[in-house]
Each structure stands twice: as C-alpha cells, then as structure tokens.
Amino acid sequence: MAAGSFEGQYVWSPAADDRALARACMDVRAGRYLSAHDVLKEAREDFEVRAHRSLVLASVAADSDLAERWLAEEPGPEAALLWARVAMLRALRMADAGDRRRGALTRIAQTACERAAKELPEDPTPWVAQLALARLDHHQDPAPQGLLTAPTGPWYLFAHILRLDPWHREAHHRFLSFFFTRYGGSSGASWDVAAFLSQRAPAPSPLRLLPLVALAEEYDPSALLADRTWEQPQWTSTAMGIYRNWLPRVADYRFTPVLDLAYLAHALFMAKREFEAREVFTAMGPYASRMPWSAFGDPAEQLTKARRSCGLPVPHDA
C-alpha cells in the first residue's frame, strides 16, 4: 500500500512501505533468514536503512532461535548484526521487566555488539546497539560545554558513533532516551540534551524533531494546562520549522519515515495547526506508529481523534 493513500485501516507494521523488509519479516517468522541477509547486505552503504531494517528484523526474531541458528550456520556481518540487535532487545526487555537475568543478558548483548562491530568496522549500527544498552550501566561521562544542566551520560560512546556517521538518526534518539525521566534522568536534562543535539543538526534534518520527542516523552497529564504546551511559541515555532524545512524532503526518502512524521503531525495537531498537520498525515498514508500517540492514551483512538480533527478519513469502525 502506497504512502499518501488511505483505504480505511491503519497499518501498524514498522516495515511500512519497505516491501523487501516486510517480506524478510515474513520469512523470519517462518524461520528463514536468507531474505534478512539480503536486505541487510543491500543496505551496507546506507546506515540509516541498515539500522532501521536490523531493528525491525530483530523485533520479529527476538522470540525465536533464528539469530543464533543463522550465526552458527552461516556466520558473517549480517548474521552478527542481527544477533547483536536481538541480544540488545532481550537485555532491554529483561531490564525493563526487572528480571534477575538482566545482568547475564546484558553481558551477552555487549559481547554480540563487539563481535558485530569487528565484522564490519565502518558500520555504526553495532555501536548504536551498545548505546541502547548504556542506560543499563549508568555511564557518567562529563557533558560538553553548552548544556545548562551538564548531565553526565555515555557521551564518549556517542562521540565515537558520530565519527562514523555524524547525523545517525537512531543514535541520536537512543542517546536522548538515556536522559528520560523513566530511565533515571530528568525532564530538564532531556530537554537540554534534545535542544543541544537538534541545534547542531542541519535545518532540513529530522533530528530537529528531538525537542518534540522529549516534550511528548515528558508529558504529564496532571500538569496545569498540559495539553496547551504545544501552543506555546517555542514549540509551535519548532514544529513549523520542521514542517517547512524537513517535510519537503520526505518525498525523496527510500521509505516512508513513519515515526518522525508521527511526531511532527502530533505536534502540529496539538498546536492547532490542522492545515499543516493534515499534510503530514497525508504523507504518512495508512502507516501508523504507536508513539507518540500512546503517551496520551490508546494510540489508535488518539490518532483517529487527530485525523478526524484535520478532516481526514479514519478507520471504518472508529
């Protein structure tokens, strides 16, 4: 289904309109890894696509033994990368669940990431997986100058990734999440880091969305006039700047960047800029992501509310 069309239902698949990835996910569910190898190898020169594909495939493979079997039967950079991603997801899930196996799984994941990094040294993806694990180890590197809160964190690891790929999307989002309140940070630190990172990025970059990501993450429905926050000039200006400078670039993407579009559409809707939000929703077509909508209630209900407000079709049974 093409982005820009809507046939009555949301499509929640993280593969969205990456058809090769969607087929690989089906094969992984069936216990086959050849197509996973192909889509990861094809993306060796496109770090953004490789990171996205490996994460989506790992989310499908994490509850099976496919990654371990692939690594044993046909070891190589792609097998090592999927194993690193799967091990990363398992460690994070166990940590979030408070499972006592957390420590052992974290060590396994770190070893898997190190192996994948040696297999293809120029690929930042294994390092990004290590960055995701950093919140389990409470890194305390000093912050660079320019941050009001000067929060400590995995700054050295992040700097290493930036040397491989200065504008790596997932690396920035993983790094920002280290400072979220739910992971032991604070709203002040997350906003500070989000502003610092976004201001470094070029105007047409999706990394300009980071302050809006932090804003949704730290949303407190009990705060006075909480839902009016996005109407404040600084946040409306941020959303409109991204709308003007980044949205026109989306047409050149290989695949629809659903999550980034969702954060922008949400911010514009909350700022009561329905005309602009409508254009962003149209660019998303039927594809949907649970964030940021799930921070405000049932994601399907929140998305439907926003689309209806913008005069767009919603699922038939909504």
Side-chain angles (χ1 to χ4, degrees), residues 84 88 108-118 126-127 129-130 133:
M88 175 203 82
I108 290 171
Q110 289 170 337
T111 299
C113 290
E114 291 167 4
R115 174 172 177 169
K118 289 177 182 177
W127 297 99
Q130 287 198 52
L133 297 168

Side-chain angles (χ1 to χ4, degrees), residues 255-274:
F255 312 108
T256 304
V258 178
L259 185 57
D260 287 337
L261 288 169
Y263 274 105
L264 179 56
H266 172 265
L268 291 168
F269 163 68
M270 295 293 283
K272 301 194 183 318
R273 303 301 296 255
E274 283 90 353

Side-chain angles (χ1 to χ4, degrees), residues 16-40:
D17 52 349
D18 185 343
R19 290 176 181 156
L21 176 58
R23 287 193 295 271
C25 287
M26 292 179 62
D27 283 348
V28 167
R29 290 189 185 96
R32 300 185 294 267
Y33 53 74
L34 180 60
S35 56
H37 170 273
D38 292 343
V39 296
L40 291 177

Side-chain angles (χ1 to χ4, degrees), residues 13 43 80 95 132 141 153 163 165 175 177 247 256 259 277 292 314:
S13 168
D141 307 334
R163 286 192 288 271
D165 185 358
F175 184 70
S177 70
L247 184 62
T256 304
L259 185 57
V314 299

Side-chain angles (χ1 to χ4, degrees), residues 136-153:
L136 307 183
D137 291 334
H138 307 291
H139 287 231
Q140 299 294 325
D141 307 334
Q145 293 183 346
L147 287 95
L148 294 175
T149 58
T152 58

Side-chain angles (χ1 to χ4, degrees), residues 15 29 40 74 82 113 122-123 148 153 168 174 178 187 220 231 272 291 300:
R29 290 189 185 96
L40 291 177
E74 296 187 31
L82 186 67
C113 290
E122 66 272 21
D123 181 12
L148 294 175
H168 197 284
R174 292 287 186 186
F178 181 92
S187 56
D220 179 4
E231 297 177 47
K272 301 194 183 318
M291 283 295 289

Side-chain angles (χ1 to χ4, degrees), residues 31-34 65-76 79 115:
R32 300 185 294 267
Y33 53 74
L34 180 60
D65 68 347
L66 180 134
E68 293 92 333
R69 183 161 49 81
W70 181 8
L71 193 64
E73 294 174 357
E74 296 187 31
R115 174 172 177 169

Side-chain angles (χ1 to χ4, degrees), residues 169-194:
R169 182 199 174 279
E170 186 185 340
H172 282 75
H173 282 261
R174 292 287 186 186
F175 184 70
L176 175 60
S177 70
F178 181 92
F179 302 96
F180 288 165
T181 301
R182 62 181 160 132
Y183 297 140
S186 67
S187 56
S190 63
W191 289 328
D192 196 11
V193 171

